[in-house]
Amino acid sequence: WNPDKVLQLLEYIQKNYNTDTTKVYVCGMSLGGYGTLHFAGKYPKKITAAVAICGGGFTKDACILAKVPLKIYHGDNDKAVPLSESSKIVDDIKKCDKNAPCEFTIIKGGTHGSVERIFHEDTIYQWFFKQVKN
């Protein structure tokens, strides 16, 4: 994932369509989860909140991510992307700010594919819509 290309797309959409810039959400799963956290870490002022599922992140982004409302999910039975990838970035974020708005959920028995169901539940969308950027 190239965060600069994602930014180009976001800026194109905001320029050409009627959007609410106080409610810009990014989410992704697996490599998309990595991409989500990389984008949020590089362009935190462009988004309102982010959800990353069974991905991970870069330690260098942790202190920036500590300022972004985040939900991170990972299954404890994921064979494709180890749970340690999400655990590590969450630990890094909490080292920067123990009160960071980062919620980490470990899904008991969750595999790499089974956690995809989160996208079909209202919970993350209700959480997203409660987040508003000043």
Side-chain angles (χ1 to χ4, degrees):
W1 289 95
N2 181 333
D4 300 328
K5 291 194 181 278
V6 175
L7 178 65
Q8 287 175 349
L9 176 63
L10 175 62
E11 288 177 340
Y12 175 85
I13 291 168
Q14 290 175 331
K15 179 181 175 186
N16 293 288
Y17 297 91
N18 184 20
T19 63
D20 182 349
T21 59
T22 68
K23 295 183 178 185
V24 178
Y25 312 112
V26 62
C27 61
M29 180 180 159
S30 192
L31 281 176
Y34 283 94
T36 293
L37 294 180
H38 190 43
F39 183 81
K42 188 164 185 181
Y43 298 110
K45 293 183 179 178
K46 293 288 185 175
I47 65 167
T48 308
V51 170
I53 301 172
C54 62
F58 298 114
T59 297
K60 68 178 180 62
D61 294 334
C63 291
I64 295 167
L65 290 170
K67 299 173 184 156
V68 177
L70 299 172
K71 279 190 175 270
I72 298 175
Y73 296 88
H74 212 116
D76 68 356
N77 198 26
D78 191 328
K79 303 289 188 239
V81 178
L83 171 61
S84 60
E85 289 293 296
S86 287
S87 297
K88 182 176 169 274
I89 191 62
V90 170
D91 289 346
D92 291 341
I93 290 167
K94 294 296 184 175
K95 283 178 191 169
C96 289
D97 181 355
K98 66 180 178 178
N99 297 313
C102 177
E103 183 181 320
F104 183 35
T105 302
I106 298 172
I107 301 164
K108 204 160 187 56
T111 65
H112 194 67
S114 73
V115 295
E116 180 268 342
R117 74 176 191 278
I118 293 166
F119 287 122
H120 302 282
E121 298 172 356
D122 292 339
T123 309
I124 66 167
Y125 303 104
Q126 291 166 350
W127 176 79
F128 269 141
F129 296 142
K130 287 179 186 173
Q131 311 304 312
V132 179
K133 184 170 41 171
N134 294 330

